[in-house]
């Protein structure tokens, strides 16, 4: 019957106060904020928000006559996680408005922070005027909002550069040489996020300066030779010892592949034991890399080492080791990084032990200085 519902009303009329509408959720660090458009019902006395299956709740009392000014509330100290929230209004008789349910709200915390990383660097160059040029890799994370770069200027002033996500290249023309350049990225996980999240720590820019032309000579193709005839000759400005000169008392330079630094044993030539090609330069204290570029036929030998050693000459092998070397690596690795503890002469080059039909060829060398 159309009157059967009356027994459920207990003789009273059901009242629904005007609830909030157009609810916007703004998550943050262990907090979440709700903003809404209040209704026009003057009887509303509070708003209730529930979460965790109604086990947690917060109420926001509405001062009398202030309903139109009460447009939201914030929940603080809420654990990181994904929630759904239930929101409704109450009047003074505890009548409930229609319920609003908001699903899949992410609240952020230390787990999210711990997963953030600084924007990655594609390249860093330092020219002869000490101008730093940095190129970042393109971003794949749309939540990145900026990267802050801190450095010390040549006048000793602390400076900050802020780069937006659309910027990939920046330069520093007034860097105080030798001081650290650090950077840190920041993120907003959602456009309406309450908080900006910063990577926990700064990364230090790895600054490298190509100082090859300043300290070394005859370092790239076409290499110059001392003599003007024969396939194998002595390379100009490089020191070569007698074992290397196993082709008519010449060696270390080859006409192959548009000229190369090289050694070759066998095929009618004698073995090369403790063969050395190097230059001696005076370097300031610091961190350096010495790099070798290999051509298409660059390596067919068993014991060829790139070596940096304090002093004006390279030592002999002790077994397969190089006593006192600042840096040593197999030529196949193409580079060494080494520390010069105090200013002085350093020998840079190649030390080999070759028996039978063996060879190696280098198409160029470079010397880089590192700044942190």
């Amino acid at each position: 019957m159309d009157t059967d519902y009356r027994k459920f009303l207990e003789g009273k009329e059901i009242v629904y106060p005007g609830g909030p509408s157009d609810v916007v959720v703004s998550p943050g660090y262990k907090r979440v904020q709700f903003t809404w458009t209040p209704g026009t019902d003057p009887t509303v006395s509070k708003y209730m928000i529930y979460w965790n299956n109604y086990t947690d709740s917060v109420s926001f009392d509405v001062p009398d006559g202030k309903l139109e000014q009460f447009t939201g509330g914030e929940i603080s100290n809420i654990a990181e996680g994904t929630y759904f929230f239930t929101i409704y209004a109450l009047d003074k008789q505890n009548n409930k408005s229609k319920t609003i349910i908001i699903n899949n709200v992410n609240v952020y915390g230390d787990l999210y922070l711990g997963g953030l990383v600084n924007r990655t660097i594609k390249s860093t160059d330092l020219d002869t005027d000490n101008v730093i040029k940095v190129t970042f890799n393109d971003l794949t994370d749309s939540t990145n909002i900026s990267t802050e770069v801190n450095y010390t200027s040549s006048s000793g002033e602390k400076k900050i550069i802020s780069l937006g996500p659309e910027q990939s290249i920046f330069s520093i023309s007034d860097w105080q040489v030798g001081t650290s350049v650090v950077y840190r990225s920041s993120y907003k996980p959602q456009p309406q996020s309450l908080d900006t999240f910063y990577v926990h720590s700064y990364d230090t820019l790895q600054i490298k300066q190509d100082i090859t032309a300043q300290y070394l000579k005859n370092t790239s193709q076409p290499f110059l030779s001392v003599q003007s005839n024969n396939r194998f000759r002595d390379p100009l400005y490089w020191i070569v010892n007698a074992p290397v000169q196993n082709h008519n008392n010449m060696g270390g330079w080859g006409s192959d592949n548009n000229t190369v630094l090289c050694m070759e044993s066998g095929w009618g030539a004698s073995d090369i034991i403790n063969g050395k090609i190097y230059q001696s330069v005076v370097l300031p204290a610091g961190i350096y890399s010495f790099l070798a570029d290999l051509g298409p036929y660059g390596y067919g030998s068993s014991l060829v080492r790139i070596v940096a050693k304090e002093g004006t000459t390279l030592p002999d092998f002790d077994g397969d080791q190089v006593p006192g070397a600042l840096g040593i690596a197999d030529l196949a690795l193409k580079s060494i990084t080494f520390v010069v503890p105090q200013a002085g002469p350093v020998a840079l080059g190649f030390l080999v032990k070759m028996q039978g039909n063996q060879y190696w060829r280098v198409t160029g060398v470079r010397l880089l200085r590192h700044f942190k």
Side-chain angles (χ1 to χ4, degrees), residues 162-178:
S162 184
L163 302 171
E166 73 285 352
Q167 295 173 274
S168 297
I169 299 174
F170 75 93
S171 296
I172 300 175
S173 59
D174 59 344
W175 174 56
Q176 187 177 101
V177 176

Side-chain angles (χ1 to χ4, degrees), residues 85-149:
F85 293 92
T86 301
I87 305 173
Y88 57 79
L90 291 173
D91 63 15
K92 293 180 180 179
Q93 284 72 45
N94 286 327
N95 295 309
K96 293 170 54 177
S97 70
K98 293 182 178 180
T99 297
I100 296 174
I101 296 177
I102 302 174
N103 293 308
N104 298 319
V105 176
N106 291 315
V107 176
Y108 302 93
D110 294 329
L111 285 176
Y112 173 76
L113 271 173
L116 298 179
V117 295
N118 288 316
R119 194 172 176 181
T120 58
I121 300 291
K122 183 177 182 179
S123 65
T124 304
D125 298 305
L126 179 65
D127 66 19
T128 54
D129 294 323
N130 294 323
V131 174
I132 301 172
K133 181 180 179 181
V134 179
T135 303
F136 284 105
N137 287 308
D138 292 335
L139 283 167
T140 57
D141 188 342
S142 62
T143 66
N144 176 280
I145 61 168
S146 70
T147 297
E148 177 186 287
V149 181

Side-chain angles (χ1 to χ4, degrees), residues 10-310:
E10 299 178 351
K12 298 182 292 185
E13 183 181 3
I14 295 178
V15 176
Y16 292 100
S21 61
D22 304 319
V23 178
V24 176
V25 183
S26 301
Y29 179 76
K30 297 183 179 180
R31 62 177 181 150
V32 60
Q33 183 183 79
F34 300 86
T35 56
W36 54 69
T37 300
T40 57
D41 186 346
T43 66
V44 170
S45 62
K46 70 173 60 175
Y47 293 97
M48 296 294 303
I49 302 177
Y50 287 87
W51 67 98
N52 283 341
N53 292 322
Y54 289 88
T55 60
D56 293 303
S57 64
V58 64
S59 65
F60 299 100
D61 293 331
V62 179
D64 288 339
K66 302 291 184 181
L67 177 65
E68 72 282 357
Q69 301 175 19
F70 202 94
T71 58
E74 180 180 307
I75 302 173
S76 302
N77 298 317
I78 185 170
E80 184 173 12
T82 302
Y83 297 87
F84 77 86
F85 293 92
T86 301
I87 305 173
Y88 57 79
L90 291 173
D91 63 15
K92 293 180 180 179
Q93 284 72 45
N94 286 327
N95 295 309
K96 293 170 54 177
S97 70
K98 293 182 178 180
T99 297
I100 296 174
I101 296 177
I102 302 174
N103 293 308
N104 298 319
V105 176
N106 291 315
V107 176
Y108 302 93
D110 294 329
L111 285 176
Y112 173 76
L113 271 173
L116 298 179
V117 295
N118 288 316
R119 194 172 176 181
T120 58
I121 300 291
K122 183 177 182 179
S123 65
T124 304
D125 298 305
L126 179 65
D127 66 19
T128 54
D129 294 323
N130 294 323
V131 174
I132 301 172
K133 181 180 179 181
V134 179
T135 303
F136 284 105
N137 287 308
D138 292 335
L139 283 167
T140 57
D141 188 342
S142 62
T143 66
N144 176 280
I145 61 168
S146 70
T147 297
E148 177 186 287
V149 181
N150 294 1
Y151 73 98
T152 303
S153 73
S154 52
S155 63
E157 181 183 358
K158 301 295 184 183
K159 290 191 173 183
I160 298 174
I161 300 172
S162 184
L163 302 171
E166 73 285 352
Q167 295 173 274
S168 297
I169 299 174
F170 75 93
S171 296
I172 300 175
S173 59
D174 59 344
W175 174 56
Q176 187 177 101
V177 176
T179 57
S180 295
V181 179
V182 298
Y183 59 98
R184 184 172 68 161
S185 296
S186 59
Y187 296 82
K188 275 198 169 184
Q190 297 179 22
Q192 70 272 23
S193 173
L194 288 176
D195 301 306
T196 299
F197 294 82
Y198 293 86
V199 177
H200 276 308
S201 59
Y202 288 86
D203 281 342
T204 301
L205 197 65
Q206 300 300 309
I207 304 169
K208 299 177 184 178
Q209 185 177 35
D210 192 326
I211 56 173
T212 308
Q214 183 178 351
Y215 289 99
L216 300 174
K217 297 179 179 180
N218 195 23
T219 59
S220 60
Q221 294 177 317
F223 288 98
L224 303 176
S225 62
V226 175
Q227 299 86 6
S228 57
N229 293 306
N230 297 316
R231 177 188 174 192
F232 296 103
R233 310 171 198 169
D234 296 335
L236 188 63
Y237 301 119
W238 290 83
I239 300 169
V240 296
N241 65 351
V244 178
Q245 297 170 312
N246 61 345
H247 293 84
N248 299 317
N249 296 316
M250 292 178 285
W253 179 99
S255 61
D256 309 72
N257 310 116
N258 191 31
T259 71
V260 289
L261 294 178
C262 67
M263 296 184 198
E264 185 173 297
S265 65
W267 296 286
S270 60
D271 296 339
I272 302 176
I273 306 301
N274 289 315
K276 304 170 188 178
I277 299 178
Y278 62 95
Q279 293 187 36
S280 179
V281 297
V282 177
L283 295 177
I287 304 173
Y288 299 87
S289 290
F290 183 61
L291 302 89
D293 298 320
L294 303 182
Y297 306 102
Y299 199 45
S301 184
S302 58
L303 191 59
V304 181
R305 299 290 184 261
I306 309 173
V307 179
K309 172 73 168 60
E310 282 186 290

